Amino acid sequence: KAGVTQTPRYLIKTRGQQVTLSCSPISGHRSVSWYQQTPGQGLQFLFEYFSETQRNKGNFPGRFSGRQFSNSRSEMNVSTLELGDSALYLCASSPKSQRGYGYTFGSGTRLTVV
Amino acid sequence: AQSVTQLDSQVPVFEEAPVELRCNYSSSVSVYLFWYVQYPNQGLQLLLKYLSGSTLVKGINGFEAEFNKSQTSFHLRKPSVHISDTAEYFCAVSVNDYKLSFGAGTTVTVRA
């Protein structure tokens, strides 16, 4: 069974640009969550999607957005990039059919803003 | 709101020695508890989880953790570590099953 796939693995962008990251969840998983990992702030929850609807959002500015498609694949977008957006962005999926299943994480996308 | 405190930021340990990583949480309601491991340049891998029932939970790679409700702790242990256990370990809690709140992480360095 394929795991959670995130593309691309690495990205370098310039301040002010926008970026789109992609996540393909495990087959059959309907919930996709995104996390930002930085050395200073650690792992922080960005948002969660379930059946194409954003159910929950973390404490991030509106420049961070996402969406989920009918096949459960998800994208997150960051507009007007700032240096502080440099981070590892992790996607995680869950079937949501079992309470407490937890999440399976992808390998992440390493975003560097210069 | 829930929070997680990992009491040790770095734990050096010799190969074949035991290791314990400490995790305390705060929450006013029942929680699910998780331990994840992150190897360099990789995502997070689930080691084990506590949902309910037996307070001693066994996970992958010989790890186990004990849930202590009165002390609000969920410490991770391994009786004998290997070089390959060198990694960062994260404790996490989930209250309503939609998001994980992580601790700051513990870096384990195993030396020969």
Side-chain angles (χ1 to χ4, degrees):
Chain A
K1 198 173 189 181
V4 178
T5 304
Q6 291 189 246
T7 57
R9 285 296 310 274
Y10 301 93
L11 265 179
I12 299 176
K13 290 287 188 178
T14 304
R15 261 186 310 176
Q17 288 186 312
Q18 75 163 11
V19 67
T20 299
L21 312 182
S22 180
C23 172
S24 293
I26 290 173
S27 178
H29 286 197
R30 298 171 62 193
S31 169
V32 173
S33 296
W34 289 87
Y35 292 80
Q36 182 197 63
Q37 184 178 24
T38 60
Q41 299 298 317
L43 282 152
Q44 294 185 287
F45 172 75
L46 279 156
F47 27 66
E48 186 223 8
Y49 287 87
F50 182 80
S51 293
E52 302 179 64
T53 301
Q54 185 184 92
R55 297 202 299 184
N56 300 285
K57 192 177 192 310
N59 190 25
F60 279 81
R63 300 184 297 106
F64 291 82
S65 63
R67 59 178 174 168
Q68 186 181 34
F69 302 95
S70 59
N71 61 358
S72 294
R73 191 177 69 85
S74 177
E75 290 180 346
M76 70 162 280
N77 183 277
V78 188
S79 62
T80 319
L81 284 165
E82 301 177 358
L83 295 178
D85 297 332
S86 294
L88 180 66
Y89 290 88
L90 292 164
C91 169
S93 73
S94 171
K96 284 301 185 184
S97 57
Q98 314 164 37
R99 285 196 67 77
Y101 175 90
Y103 284 89
T104 303
F105 284 81
S107 297
T109 294
R110 172 79 59 186
L111 172 65
T112 302
V113 182
V114 297
Chain B
Q2 65 278 10
S3 67
V4 180
T5 302
Q6 291 185 240
L7 299 165
D8 308 290
S9 60
Q10 300 202 26
V11 174
V13 59
F14 286 106
E15 193 174 21
E16 298 183 9
V19 70
E20 178 181 78
L21 309 184
R22 297 179 294 166
C23 171
N24 287 100
Y25 69 93
S26 67
S27 175
S28 57
V29 298
S30 296
V31 298
Y32 299 138
L33 294 157
F34 305 84
W35 275 99
Y36 283 88
V37 60
Q38 186 176 36
Y39 300 102
N41 297 316
Q42 294 189 27
L44 303 176
Q45 180 183 7
L46 180 66
L47 281 175
L48 47 78
K49 60 185 175 184
Y50 173 78
L51 308 180
S52 64
S54 173
T55 57
L56 183 63
V57 181
K58 293 191 182 299
I60 63 172
N61 301 340
F63 284 94
E64 63 180 32
E66 185 155 19
F67 170 64
N68 188 316
K69 187 174 182 179
S70 63
Q71 297 188 7
T72 61
S73 68
F74 190 53
H75 299 336
L76 180 72
R77 302 185 185 99
K78 185 170 183 177
S80 176
V81 297
H82 303 289
I83 298 290
S84 59
D85 292 321
T86 294
E88 190 159 20
Y89 293 79
F90 292 94
C91 180
V93 301
S94 172
V95 170
N96 52 15
D97 216 23
Y98 79 83
K99 81 167 193 177
L100 294 167
S101 295
F102 287 92
T106 298
T107 300
V108 173
T109 303
V110 182
R111 299 168 179 165

